[in-house]
Amino acid sequence: MRVLIVYAHPNKNSFNHAILEKMQQGLQAEGHEVQVKDLYAENFDPVLRASDLESLQLGNIPENIAKEQASLCWAEGLVFIYPLWWFGRPAILKGWFDKVLTNGFAFKFGEEGLTGLLKHRRALALITAGGTEDFFKKNKAEPLVYRPMTDGTLSFCGIEDVNHRIYYDIGGMSDRGRQDVLEEVATMGKDFNEK
Ligand code: FAD
């Protein structure tokens, strides 16, 4: 499969970066073709501006948005890697969706209601959190961590096979625990193989 990894962490020494490396290696080991979109490294501008909206309303896709949509169209599989920031995606990633998933490209509304237009065969979100799993479960907050991404974005746009994995308490975890996480991520390339 052609797999696009969209990565949103500013620090090259972060644990998220280690996850990125393992995921990329794991996918390549299974023979998948991988492109990485490192939003901070690319200095991606996440702000959807009035001029962008004006162009979109006239049916013109601004060049900066068309470029991102071309990357998305290239891929058959998608992986998103990011830390949980204020119960959501880092703003740079949220802004990427604001800009890229335009009406008529990623979804449309017609007489029969909403139609998702993305045809990707599989999508996966890998999310790290500072809080403990216990905290999220006790506060019934777990769905808040992933549903805006899985349901509110990827499934909404028509992708049927949407998956997520949350790694909690990254800072409090033992070194062994973090190695186990990275070993698990390294195996996830297999999940993109033909079923
Ligand atoms: P890092 O801080 O880079 O690393 C975590 C640990 O892993 C460190 O001990 C580091 O030494 C170690 N490590 C790094 N690389 C490796 C490696 N290769 N192998 C083994 N160990 C390694 N959390 C919540 O739960 N809910 C929130 O709403 C929330 N909001 C936040 C908002 C902001 C703005 C910020 C900055 C943080 C927030 N957090 C929140 C916490 C955040 O989710 C975690 O800090 C983040 O997920 C940790 O991932 P990281 O890649 O930044 O880890």
Coordinates of all heavy atoms in Angstrom, one line a residue, residues 9 13-16 18 83-87 128-131 136 170-171 178-179 182, ligand 1:
H9 N 4.7 16.8 15.8 CA 5.3 17.1 17.0 C 6.6 17.9 16.7 O 7.3 17.6 15.7 CB 5.8 15.8 17.7 CG 6.2 16.0 19.2 ND1 7.2 16.8 19.6 CD2 5.6 15.5 20.3 CE1 7.3 16.8 20.9 NE2 6.3 16.0 21.4
N13 N 13.6 15.0 19.1 CA 14.0 14.0 20.2 C 12.9 13.5 21.0 O 13.1 12.9 22.0 CB 15.0 14.7 21.1 CG 16.3 15.1 20.4 OD1 16.8 14.3 19.5 ND2 16.8 16.3 20.6
S14 N 11.7 13.8 20.6 CA 10.5 13.4 21.4 C 10.2 11.9 21.2 O 10.7 11.2 20.3 CB 9.3 14.2 20.9 OG 8.9 13.8 19.6
F15 N 9.4 11.4 22.1 CA 8.9 10.1 22.0 C 8.1 9.9 20.8 O 8.1 8.8 20.1 CB 8.1 9.7 23.3 CG 7.8 8.2 23.4 CD1 8.9 7.3 23.5 CD2 6.5 7.7 23.3 CE1 8.6 5.9 23.5 CE2 6.3 6.4 23.4 CZ 7.3 5.5 23.5
N16 N 7.3 10.9 20.5 CA 6.5 10.8 19.2 C 7.4 10.6 18.0 O 7.0 9.9 17.1 CB 5.6 12.1 19.1 CG 4.3 12.0 19.7 OD1 3.3 11.7 19.0 ND2 4.2 12.1 21.0
A18 N 10.2 9.0 18.0 CA 10.6 7.6 18.0 C 9.5 6.7 17.5 O 9.7 5.8 16.8 CB 10.9 7.2 19.5
P83 N 0.8 14.0 19.8 CA 0.5 14.0 21.2 C -0.8 14.6 21.5 O -1.3 15.4 20.7 CB 1.6 14.9 21.8 CG 1.9 15.8 20.7 CD 1.7 15.1 19.4
L84 N -1.5 14.2 22.5 CA -2.8 14.8 22.9 C -2.4 16.1 23.6 O -1.7 16.2 24.6 CB -3.5 13.9 23.9 CG -4.9 14.3 24.3 CD1 -5.8 14.1 23.1 CD2 -5.4 13.6 25.5
W85 N -3.0 17.2 23.0 CA -2.8 18.5 23.6 C -4.2 19.1 23.8 O -5.0 19.3 22.9 CB -2.0 19.4 22.6 CG -0.5 19.2 22.6 CD1 0.2 18.2 23.3 CD2 0.5 19.9 21.8 NE1 1.5 18.3 23.0 CE2 1.7 19.3 22.1 CE3 0.4 20.9 20.9 CZ2 2.9 19.7 21.5 CZ3 1.6 21.4 20.3 CH2 2.8 20.8 20.6
W86 N -4.5 19.4 25.1 CA -5.8 19.9 25.5 C -6.9 19.1 24.9 O -7.8 19.6 24.2 CB -5.9 21.4 25.1 CG -5.0 22.2 26.0 CD1 -3.9 22.9 25.6 CD2 -5.0 22.3 27.4 NE1 -3.2 23.5 26.6 CE2 -3.9 23.1 27.8 CE3 -5.8 21.8 28.4 CZ2 -3.6 23.4 29.1 CZ3 -5.5 22.1 29.7 CH2 -4.4 22.9 30.1
F87 N -6.8 17.8 25.1 CA -7.8 16.9 24.7 C -8.1 16.9 23.2 O -9.2 16.6 22.7 CB -9.2 17.1 25.4 CG -9.3 16.4 26.7 CD1 -8.5 16.9 27.8 CD2 -10.1 15.3 26.9 CE1 -8.6 16.3 29.0 CE2 -10.1 14.7 28.1 CZ -9.4 15.1 29.2
T128 N -0.3 9.9 21.9 CA 0.3 9.8 23.2 C -0.4 10.8 24.1 O -0.8 11.8 23.7 CB 1.8 10.0 23.2 OG1 2.0 11.4 22.8 CG2 2.5 9.1 22.3
A129 N -0.5 10.4 25.4 CA -1.2 11.3 26.4 C -0.3 11.3 27.6 O 0.3 10.3 28.0 CB -2.6 10.7 26.7
G130 N -0.4 12.5 28.3 CA 0.3 12.6 29.6 C -0.4 12.0 30.7 O 0.1 11.4 31.7
G131 N -1.8 12.0 30.6 CA -2.6 11.4 31.7 C -2.6 9.9 31.7 O -2.2 9.3 30.8
F136 N -8.5 8.8 32.6 CA -9.4 9.0 31.5 C -10.6 8.1 31.6 O -11.8 8.5 31.3 CB -8.7 8.7 30.1 CG -7.9 9.8 29.7 CD1 -6.5 9.8 30.0 CD2 -8.4 10.8 28.9 CE1 -5.7 10.9 29.6 CE2 -7.6 11.9 28.5 CZ -6.3 11.9 28.9
I170 N 2.8 8.7 29.2 CA 4.1 8.5 28.5 C 5.2 9.0 29.4 O 6.3 8.3 29.5 CB 4.1 9.3 27.2 CG1 3.2 8.6 26.2 CG2 5.5 9.5 26.6 CD1 3.6 7.1 25.9
G171 N 5.1 10.1 30.1 CA 6.1 10.6 31.0 C 6.3 9.7 32.2 O 7.5 9.5 32.7
R178 N 8.1 2.0 27.7 CA 8.2 2.8 26.5 C 8.9 1.9 25.4 O 8.5 2.0 24.2 CB 9.0 4.1 26.7 CG 8.2 5.1 27.4 CD 8.9 6.5 27.4 NE 10.0 6.5 28.3 CZ 10.0 7.0 29.5 NH1 8.9 7.5 30.0 NH2 11.1 7.0 30.3
Q179 N 9.8 1.1 25.7 CA 10.4 0.2 24.7 C 9.3 -0.8 24.2 O 9.2 -1.1 23.0 CB 11.5 -0.7 25.3 CG 12.8 0.1 25.5 CD 13.2 1.1 24.4 OE1 13.1 0.7 23.2 NE2 13.6 2.3 24.7
L182 N 7.2 1.0 21.6 CA 7.9 1.1 20.3 C 8.0 -0.2 19.6 O 7.8 -0.3 18.4 CB 9.3 1.7 20.5 CG 9.4 3.1 21.1 CD1 10.8 3.6 21.3 CD2 8.7 4.1 20.1
Ligands
FAD1 P1 8.4 13.3 25.4 O1 8.2 14.3 26.5 O2 9.3 13.6 24.3 O3 9.0 11.9 26.1 C1 8.3 11.3 27.1 C2 9.3 10.4 27.8 O4 9.8 9.4 26.8 C3 10.5 11.1 28.4 O5 10.8 10.5 29.6 C4 11.6 10.9 27.3 O6 12.9 10.9 27.9 C5 11.2 9.4 26.8 N1 11.7 9.2 25.5 C6 11.9 10.0 24.5 N2 12.3 9.3 23.4 C7 12.4 8.0 23.8 C8 12.8 6.9 23.1 N3 13.3 6.9 21.8 N4 12.8 5.7 23.8 C9 12.3 5.6 25.0 N5 11.9 6.7 25.7 C10 12.0 7.9 25.1 N6 -1.9 15.2 28.2 C11 -3.1 14.7 28.5 O7 -3.3 13.6 28.9 N7 -4.2 15.5 28.2 C12 -4.1 16.7 27.7 O8 -5.2 17.4 27.4 C13 -2.8 17.3 27.4 N8 -2.7 18.5 26.9 C14 -1.4 19.0 26.7 C15 -1.2 20.2 26.1 C16 0.0 20.7 25.8 C17 0.2 22.1 25.1 C18 1.2 19.9 26.1 C19 2.6 20.4 25.8 C20 1.0 18.7 26.7 C21 -0.2 18.2 27.0 N9 -0.4 16.9 27.5 C22 -1.7 16.4 27.7 C23 0.7 16.0 27.7 C24 1.1 15.4 26.3 O9 0.1 14.6 25.8 C25 2.4 14.5 26.5 O10 3.4 15.4 27.0 C26 2.8 13.9 25.3 O11 1.9 12.9 24.8 C27 4.1 13.1 25.5 O12 4.7 12.8 24.2 P2 6.1 13.4 23.7 O13 6.4 12.7 22.4 O14 6.0 14.9 23.8 O15 7.0 12.8 24.9

